[in-house]
Amino acid sequence: MPRITLDQIRAMGDVTQTFRWNLVVVKAPTSVPNFPATAAADLRIETSELPKKTGSSVEVTLKGHSVKYPGIYKPQGTLSFGFVETVDNVIANWFASWQQACWANNTGARVPKKDLEAVFQLQLLKNDDVARWQYTMKGCFIEDPNPGQLDSSSADPLKPQMTISYDDFTQGPL
Amino acid sequence: MPFLDNIEKIRTVEWGHTYLWDARFLNPEPPKPFNDWFPAATMDEDIFSLDSYAFDARGGAFSFPLRRGSIKKIDMTFFDDVNNTLLNWFETWVNEIIFNRKGSLVSPLEECVRQITIVRLDHAKQPVGNPRNYWVYPEGKLTFRGDSSSSIRSFPISLVIVGTIGNSTIG
């Protein structure tokens, strides 16, 4: 078979670009004040990982022959968001309130899981910015907030990061 | 169809966690600062102990409940402060109250025991169910061990349950 041609590549269509995406807050926790709505969160989010499930395999070896079967597929379980903070403390309030719901200052108490978990959706967009694919994570809560890095020699914006934990996710076309 | 057929059945349960418990001694309580809480780091509380009678008969082996098993115990590891508050309290309990006549005789059981209260907590740190109250006395040895590390002092101890206060029977 001959090597692919330039015209075949040109006819393949537009490629997916990594900057065309949205973060949607599908469900905010009921017991977390200051949880931003989609508009405020999506406006400030700069980077995101995508969820995935990692599988294991089961191997059967008999008299020299090996056959592998799919084993357990487990969600990676965590996802990292990167934000740009604004002076109205939207991200700082978000992190603080969510963490307080998960582990109250001084007492260590937390609210029931159903009241502190969120549902997020990451939407990937076509080149005309129409949503084409979604990942929806359920059972999300804040696991590792990183408020960012200060310095003395730049005017860069503060960029907090947050690792969220999720129970499972779905994916599919929109 | 499997019984556990989807992840939502797991997600909707508020599972218990091993750190959600608390304990204190009463009647009398230890000196301050441990008079209204106890610095126990680990706790193993026997809930029940049951022995079976097993026998072989024609056709196979059989087993049925026979009697209460071994004496129930509470095994714990606790920390102590720099003043040896709890070490001294346990030492007094055993050497002066249980061995009340300079080690030659043992006091009546009624005078040997103290009350320990154990509570299980929910995630809001509120008690779940009634506290479990026991009459206990320490068994075995309490040993002070020094070494050359900077670890916190911890002491394992075993408490024999001689009675349950409340709606349970003598253990």
Side-chain angles (χ1 to χ4, degrees):
Chain A
M1 191 172 79
R3 192 163 57 93
I4 60 171
T5 65
L6 176 62
D7 284 343
Q8 282 179 300
I9 296 174
R10 281 169 42 78
M12 184 171 63
D14 291 332
V15 296
T16 295
Q17 294 172 310
T18 55
F19 68 93
R20 297 188 189 277
W21 58 283
N22 288 330
L23 174 67
V24 178
V25 179
V26 178
K27 175 182 169 295
T30 56
S31 294
V32 181
N34 302 315
F35 203 93
T38 294
D42 185 54
L43 187 64
R44 291 167 175 80
I45 191 165
E46 187 185 45
T47 61
S48 174
E49 296 173 319
L50 292 173
K52 67 173 185 175
K53 283 191 176 96
T54 302
S56 59
S57 61
V58 178
E59 187 171 6
V60 176
T61 302
L62 288 171
K63 298 180 176 64
H65 302 295
S66 291
V67 180
K68 294 180 78 173
Y69 298 85
I72 295 172
Y73 283 69
K74 185 179 174 187
Q76 188 176 21
T78 58
L79 197 66
S80 184
F81 290 153
F83 298 94
V84 176
E85 177 64 303
T86 46
V87 292
D88 54 2
N89 297 325
V90 169
I91 304 300
N93 277 327
W94 183 8
F95 286 12
S97 297
W98 211 0
Q99 187 168 295
Q100 179 75 7
C102 295
W103 186 268
N105 289 333
N106 199 30
T107 66
R110 78 157 165 82
V111 302
K113 176 174 160 63
K114 66 181 175 56
D115 296 332
L116 63 77
E117 62 182 17
V119 177
F120 289 116
Q121 185 176 74
L122 288 165
Q123 296 179 344
L124 307 189
L125 310 179
K126 299 177 186 175
N127 290 343
D128 56 1
D129 283 349
V130 174
R132 63 168 186 82
W133 191 265
Q134 58 81 22
Y135 297 91
T136 302
M137 290 79 69
K138 63 183 176 183
C140 302
F141 62 86
I142 189 168
E143 183 170 310
D144 184 13
N146 181 350
Q149 177 70 44
L150 303 177
D151 66 26
S152 301
S153 59
S154 75
D156 293 341
L158 185 65
K159 295 186 174 181
Q161 290 193 321
M162 169 171 63
T163 298
I164 63 163
S165 184
Y166 61 90
D167 288 332
D168 200 5
F169 71 93
T170 58
Q171 57 186 321
L174 288 169
Chain B
M1 192 174 84
F3 300 129
L4 179 58
D5 55 356
N6 66 75
I7 192 175
E8 290 304 318
K9 288 185 176 176
I10 300 174
R11 281 174 30 78
T12 52
V13 175
E14 279 284 359
W15 299 99
H17 292 184
T18 54
Y19 72 95
L20 292 173
W21 58 277
D22 207 351
R24 64 172 296 195
F25 277 95
L26 295 167
N27 295 328
E29 64 264 18
K32 289 183 178 180
F34 305 121
N35 55 317
D36 59 356
W37 68 286
F38 190 77
T42 65
M43 169 82 69
D44 295 280
E45 172 195 0
D46 290 340
I47 303 300
F48 66 79
S49 177
L50 174 65
D51 283 348
S52 293
Y53 179 70
F55 62 98
D56 292 326
R58 185 188 297 264
F62 299 88
S63 181
F64 61 81
L66 178 63
R67 62 186 176 194
R68 293 180 190 280
S70 59
I71 296 294
K72 291 193 295 183
K73 294 180 181 177
I74 297 171
D75 294 319
M76 65 164 70
T77 302
F78 66 89
F79 299 146
D80 201 2
D81 63 9
V82 72
N83 298 316
N84 304 315
T85 298
L86 292 175
L87 201 63
N88 294 338
W89 184 70
F90 276 105
E91 184 179 14
T92 301
W93 183 0
V94 173
N95 285 344
E96 296 182 18
I97 296 176
I98 296 179
F99 297 131
N100 64 337
R101 294 173 189 169
K102 303 186 185 306
S104 59
L105 291 173
V106 176
S107 297
L109 180 62
E110 181 182 41
E111 298 174 17
C112 293
V113 294
R114 292 180 176 176
Q115 182 182 339
I116 187 171
T117 297
I118 300 170
V119 293
R120 282 90 151 116
L121 305 174
D122 63 15
H123 294 289
K125 296 294 183 76
Q126 297 302 308
V128 177
N130 294 324
R132 302 171 70 87
N133 299 294
Y134 300 109
W135 291 114
V136 296
Y137 69 84
E139 184 186 59
K141 293 194 296 184
L142 180 62
T143 304
F144 173 83
R145 179 179 183 273
D147 62 22
S148 300
S149 73
S150 62
S151 304
I152 191 168
R153 284 179 199 158
S154 67
F155 300 92
I157 195 164
S158 184
L159 303 168
V160 176
I161 298 173
V162 299
T164 303
I165 306 167
N167 54 7
S168 300
T169 58
I170 296 296

